[in-house]
Amino acid sequence: MRLAFDKPFTATLAAPALLLGVLLVQWLPALPPRGLSLLLLLPVALAFWRWPRWRLPLCGCTGVLWAMACGAAAMDARLPRDLEGRDVLVTGRIAQLPLLRDDATRFALDVDGASLDGKPLPLRGRTMVSWYDDAPPLAPCERWRLRLRLKRPRGLLDPGTTDGERMALQRRIVATGYVRADAADARLARAVGCVDGLRDAVSRGIAARVGDPHDAALLQAFSVGDTRGLRQDDWEVARANGIPHLIAISGFHVGVVAVIGAWLAGALYLLWPGLALRLPRAQAQAAGALLLAGMYSALAGFGLPTVRTLLMIAVVGLARCARCGGHGAHSLALAILAILVFDPLSVLAAGFWLSFTGVALLMLCLQSRERGLRAFLRELTAGQLLMTVSLLPLTLWFFGEASLVGALSNLVAVPFVSFVIVPCALLGTVLLGLCPPCATPVLWLAAKLAHAQWWLLERMATWPGAHWYLPEVQPWALLLSTLGALWLFMPRGVPLRALGCILFLPLLWPPLPRPADGAFQAWVLDVGQGLSVLLRTRGHALLYDTGARYPSGYDLGEAVVLPSIHALGIARLDVLMVSHADNDHAGGAAAVAAAFPAARRYTGEPQRMPVPMQRCLAGQAWTWDGVRFRVLSPSADRGGKRNDRSCVLLVDGVHGAFLLAGDISSSVEPAVADALGDGPPPVLLVPHHGSKTSSGADFIGAVAPPFAIVSAGWRNRFGHPAPVVLARYASAHVPVLNTADNGAIALDFPVDGPARVTARWRLRDPRYWREQP
């Protein structure tokens, strides 16, 4: 009797099995020790050789064990917890390209030595460093000795936002920190044979020869993957057109370079036909394609899309050199196997899934035997439509937004950028090294072409549907919509293909439970050392504070608050209330106001706000869907400290209340407590992040909250919440939850029971890479 998997074992069977095993590991909350996983690989390898019929499930087991070993190794490499907040002396090499901003210079440092108080530490790996005060000019490949204050990689966790800790694991980041001024800080030497130095030299050469800084930034991105010169609005244009993959070097660019390499190799045979007697032409072209693609991938920094394409080119090239045939699915499977063996943690990157899923669907659904220009144009048009629709579920899953104009934008931008701008820019790059004066006119032409392309994309970014948001995608909706896309674009002859659209319905119209009349929901978002709270009744929504905006341009209103609003299915914001104008509360207000211009806006300090707002005053009140909103402070004559001008808001439902106290101090707390009135004790948003100047014992006793929530940053420099404040709440038997420990916190205030915590994002979906409280 033959088993179901007793079939010839090929790469097309091994790749899905290995991928499934690797993927299963990414759902685990913890991993076994690395040594145990590696030890178990030995009997699996023996069984793989001894029992050929069981190779398919054994391949899946191999994926599980290999992914666990690599994941445990990456987690073990992180900074030990007892070293967080300590000043560590490290030596290392600057990797990638340093980013110079107004507030700091940021760079990646590959640490190869570390010590604390003269004792060596086992810290090795990539560390993300910021140099804030009087940073000297930094260049790639330089070696430095620096005293750093370090902590483990830790990100913000909110609805609809990127998991920074997952990204840190995938990129093998072992610590983050900043430079401490010290006499030991010194530049040591410059590493030899460093590709990043060549990238930086090419980038500076382009900047010196292209007059317009924005055009130069585009060419730097197209040529060497240097995106440092691009502004935030450039990325907005790219996302609106669905072309972030074209801004930096993409896999398609590597394919174009490989074709150029094959052409150049073929040209040698036209010039010297006698070469065919020594080396067959097909093998030489394959080698030329692989060589040029490899050099270009190195120049691009070996990003995942370039590595994926390079591996596929290598598979095809080696097959040609060995005179072995191979179809597209086999080449794709070999590329997947190579990446998973080399780095199983690459499955944590969105680019892995978008790249391989897109290529697989193109191979499966665009099967045409026609040739010629007409067939090429038909496949180009159909391919862009296929990629836009079929990758929509994954795009929404990873990024929370998609572009409905992306198909048309890519139809224009992909061939023009890949076949015109990139070859022209690369020619200029080559001439920078061979004949610098000749590079100037070529780069000038490439800059004009890039300028024209970008002008068109900026216009298309304003079209309706350029930014399309949907609520947070559930795994089952992702699976159904992906199957729907596959069914919809199957080759002709497959019956009822149009019914694939039905499987998109759970993605496009997901069920969104809403509070009953008299009930409301709240989300205290994780915005680090700041505050942002989203409230929703049955038919209305209010945002209280917007988080900070930093001098680097990082805007928590744009990066956290708006994605959270969209992920929670809130399409309209009725009121934006900013307690006061301090940056950690009001920094993201401009971004939120631009996204919801119709929202009424209130603040305690309108004269200091970046956007026009009305002043909030005690006595203001309104009712939404049976839920009453009352402003308790400030009074019309309130002066004094800025923090005491904070809007204090009481949200009162049928069976529960929520008191949002801003940054008020203990001098204002008695008046707020007196204004509460009758009703159930409210859940308390701890004033001023738990500062020692707030949360007096009398105030806590008067409010008597069932529990309290503090919004603070992990290991923040202010020491919030202060231990003495936490002791006051503990003595009053009031549990305190901190966003620094829990991520975003979701609260429910139902009509038939007390207020309760319904989700804590750091604990909601535990993963082994998540830092725990």
Side-chain angles (χ1 to χ4, degrees):
M1 179 177 178
R2 293 174 63 86
L3 299 176
F5 45 79
D6 188 15
K7 298 179 179 179
F9 191 69
T10 63
T12 52
L13 291 176
L18 189 69
L19 177 59
L20 179 61
V22 171
L23 187 60
L24 288 175
V25 173
Q26 312 315 318
W27 295 86
L28 297 178
L31 297 178
R34 174 181 51 173
L36 178 61
S37 299
L38 292 174
L39 184 64
L40 291 175
L41 275 174
L42 296 177
V44 171
L46 179 63
F48 192 89
W49 171 78
R50 180 65 180 82
W51 293 292
R53 293 184 177 183
W54 293 89
R55 283 180 176 174
L56 187 61
L58 287 172
C59 197
C61 293
T62 302
V64 169
L65 294 172
W66 181 236
M68 288 195 301
C70 292
M75 292 300 296
D76 291 343
R78 286 187 175 179
L79 179 77
R81 287 183 173 84
D82 59 353
L83 293 180
E84 287 193 295
R86 307 286 298 275
D87 291 345
V88 178
L89 187 66
V90 306
T91 58
R93 177 180 63 85
I94 295 179
Q96 301 177 342
L97 303 177
L99 178 63
L100 178 63
R101 287 291 184 259
D102 293 338
D103 63 327
T105 299
R106 293 176 171 84
F107 57 97
L109 186 72
D110 285 342
V111 175
D112 51 34
S115 63
L116 178 65
D117 299 330
K119 298 179 180 179
L121 297 174
L123 179 64
R124 302 291 186 275
R126 181 152 296 181
T127 301
M128 304 307 297
V129 182
S130 298
W131 197 326
Y132 289 104
D133 299 320
D134 300 322
L138 301 176
C141 310
E142 289 181 343
R143 288 185 52 78
W144 279 82
R145 181 178 61 243
L146 297 169
R147 191 169 298 279
L148 305 178
R149 179 159 293 181
L150 298 172
K151 63 180 180 179
R152 292 166 67 92
R154 193 180 185 95
L156 307 176
L157 290 174
D158 295 275
T161 59
T162 302
D163 187 344
E165 292 163 39
R166 184 192 71 204
M167 294 177 60
L169 179 71
Q170 190 265 320
R171 298 174 181 176
R172 301 299 201 282
I173 296 172
V174 300
T176 63
Y178 59 93
V179 177
R180 301 275 287 173
D182 190 270
D185 297 341
R187 182 185 281 110
L188 301 178
R190 186 178 180 88
V192 180
C194 177
V195 176
D196 287 324
L198 177 60
R199 294 176 65 201
D200 185 60
V202 171
S203 183
R204 287 186 282 106
I206 292 173
R209 288 164 174 80
V210 176
D212 187 294
H214 185 257
D215 294 347
L218 290 174
L219 289 189
Q220 289 165 335
F222 291 146
S223 302
V224 292
D226 180 6
T227 59
R228 295 176 296 175
L230 297 179
R231 305 181 298 264
Q232 184 61 36
D233 56 341
D234 292 323
W235 292 108
E236 287 295 321
V237 170
R239 283 192 290 268
N241 286 279
I243 61 158
H245 60 286
L246 287 180
I247 297 301
I249 296 173
S250 71
F252 193 71
H253 296 166
V254 178
V256 171
V257 171
V259 171
I260 295 174
W263 285 349
L264 291 176
L268 291 177
Y269 283 80
L270 294 178
L271 295 174
W272 294 285
L275 285 176
L277 298 175
R278 299 177 179 274
L279 179 65
R281 178 173 176 172
Q283 281 82 342
Q285 287 184 302
L290 181 58
L291 176 62
L292 219 59
M295 294 172 60
Y296 186 51
S297 297
L299 198 61
F302 283 116
L304 181 61
T306 62
V307 170
R308 183 259 305 168
T309 305
L310 181 62
L311 285 172
M312 293 191 67
I313 293 169
V315 167
V316 175
L318 291 175
R320 294 289 297 273
C321 291
R323 293 187 171 91
C324 297
H327 53 80
H330 184 74
S331 300
L332 181 65
L334 287 176
I336 293 175
L337 288 172
I339 284 186
L340 293 180
V341 170
F342 178 73
D343 181 17
L345 298 183
S346 61
V347 299
L348 298 175
F352 176 91
W353 297 99
L354 294 173
S355 296
F356 283 112
T357 302
V359 173
L361 287 171
L362 285 173
M363 288 181 176
L364 182 63
C365 300
L366 288 185
Q367 299 178 359
S368 175
R369 297 182 179 180
E370 299 181 31
R371 296 292 183 265
L373 179 60
R374 184 177 179 181
F376 170 77
L377 293 176
R378 186 188 302 115
E379 289 193 5
L380 182 63
T381 305
Q384 293 306 325
L385 179 61
L386 167 64
M387 296 290 280
T388 300
V389 176
S390 62
L391 295 182
L392 176 65
L394 281 172
T395 302
L396 290 169
W397 171 269
F398 283 110
F399 306 113
E401 69 170 301
S403 171
L404 296 182
V405 305
L408 182 57
S409 299
N410 277 270
L411 183 62
V412 175
V414 167
F416 190 69
V417 170
S418 299
F419 294 117
V420 180
I421 296 178
V422 168
C424 190
L426 289 180
L427 177 59
T429 300
V430 172
L431 291 175
L432 281 174
L434 299 180
C435 181
C438 298
T440 301
V442 176
L443 291 174
W444 176 87
L445 175 61
K448 294 301 179 184
L449 294 172
H451 183 92
Q453 174 70 81
W454 201 254
W455 178 89
L456 178 61
L457 293 174
E458 286 178 328
R459 302 305 177 274
M460 297 177 75
T462 63
W463 291 1
H467 290 284
W468 187 42
Y469 303 98
L470 287 176
E472 192 169 23
V473 179
Q474 300 301 315
W476 60 274
L478 172 68
L479 177 61
L480 287 177
S481 54
T482 302
L483 291 175
L486 179 61
W487 189 1
L488 185 63
F489 289 99
M490 289 294 284
R492 292 181 182 178
V494 176
L496 303 175
R497 289 186 300 163
L499 293 181
C501 297
I502 297 176
L503 297 181
F504 276 86
L505 294 180
L507 177 76
L508 302 178
W509 287 281
L512 291 174
R514 297 186 180 279
D517 287 338
F520 66 96
Q521 298 169 312
W523 293 267
V524 183
L525 301 180
D526 182 11
V527 291
Q529 186 61 24
L531 180 63
S532 185
V533 183
L534 183 62
L535 300 116
R536 177 170 67 184
T537 66
R538 184 169 185 82
H540 298 80
L542 179 147
L543 181 68
Y544 183 91
D545 285 352
T546 60
R549 187 181 192 279
Y550 297 102
S552 64
Y554 183 66
D555 189 329
L556 285 163
E558 188 173 11
V560 171
V561 177
L562 289 177
S564 296
I565 292 174
H566 297 311
L568 294 170
I570 297 174
R572 186 186 77 248
L573 194 64
D574 298 281
V575 169
L576 169 60
M577 180 175 287
V578 178
S579 61
H580 62 302
D582 282 0
N583 180 59
D584 57 332
H585 296 254
V592 175
F596 297 100
R600 303 198 311 272
R601 302 195 287 263
Y602 298 95
T603 183
E605 296 182 291
Q607 69 279 3
R608 293 180 58 216
M609 289 299 298
V611 293
M613 287 193 166
Q614 302 177 44
R615 188 181 181 192
C616 62
L617 293 170
Q620 293 171 337
W622 66 90
T623 300
W624 287 340
D625 309 310
V627 179
R628 184 165 176 77
F629 293 75
R630 285 196 295 139
V631 177
L632 307 185
S633 182
S635 60
D637 58 353
R638 167 60 61 187
K641 298 179 180 178
R642 295 174 178 175
N643 289 347
D644 289 338
R645 301 173 196 163
S646 295
C647 301
V648 178
L649 181 67
L650 177 66
V651 186
D652 204 349
V654 170
H655 210 287
F658 192 17
L659 178 61
L660 295 90
D663 273 1
I664 62 171
S665 68
S666 55
S667 63
V668 179
E669 290 174 348
V672 170
D674 292 341
L676 284 176
D678 298 329
V683 174
L684 176 62
L685 185 67
V686 174
H688 200 183
H689 319 287
S691 166
K692 291 184 291 186
T693 60
S694 303
S695 295
D698 292 341
F699 177 70
I700 297 173
V703 176
F707 59 91
I709 297 176
V710 60
S711 178
W714 176 255
R715 303 188 65 88
N716 65 84
R717 61 191 179 95
F718 304 101
H720 294 160
V724 64
V725 171
L726 293 178
R728 290 175 199 158
Y729 283 98
S731 64
H733 306 289
V734 177
V736 177
L737 297 176
N738 190 345
T739 58
D741 298 324
N742 297 275
I745 300 172
L747 308 172
D748 191 19
F749 297 81
V751 295
D752 56 354
R756 61 179 183 268
V757 175
T758 56
R760 291 182 283 174
W761 255 253
R762 185 164 291 278
L763 306 177
R764 186 182 69 159
D765 297 314
R767 298 288 186 267
Y768 68 87
W769 58 79
R770 294 260 174 88
E771 296 292 324
Q772 297 304 317

